Amino acid sequence: MNDNIMTAQHGINLVVECEDGKIYIGRFDESNGFEVLMHDADVFDPASGGDPEHWKKETATYGVDVKHKDIRFPATGVKGWVALGDVEKLA
């Protein structure tokens, strides 16, 4: 997992994990060092009680369940990121 969101490639689908437990999956647009902008995204909220690993694998298998056309979140809270294509799919 990469820890610097500024090195992410524009236009690819990313899985971005944050310090607060939220996970964003969507098409990376940009980060200005303060905010991250993604398009056609979905967000995993740890308060939902779901399994984040299963959610990531399910998304890698079937595609992003788009709930946000555009979403911005603080870049300072990013723990790491990986390309969605590198996430293991469901068996």
Side-chain angles (χ1 to χ4, degrees), residues 6-74:
M6 298 292 286
T7 63
Q9 182 181 354
H10 170 81
I12 66 169
N13 282 326
L14 297 182
V15 177
V16 181
E17 296 190 27
C18 294
E19 298 290 342
D20 63 2
K22 287 186 178 177
I23 303 169
Y24 297 85
I25 299 181
R27 190 167 36 87
F28 177 73
D29 188 330
E30 68 174 354
S31 177
N32 60 13
F34 299 101
E35 280 186 324
V36 176
L37 172 61
M38 295 178 81
H39 304 291
D40 304 323
D42 193 6
V43 181
F44 176 83
D45 187 346
S48 71
D51 177 5
E53 292 306 313
H54 179 78
W55 181 76
K56 289 188 289 188
K57 289 178 182 180
E58 183 176 59
T59 303
T61 303
Y62 301 114
V64 180
D65 182 11
V66 176
K67 295 189 179 95
H68 303 274
K69 186 70 178 154
D70 304 302
I71 193 163
R72 293 179 186 271
F73 54 93

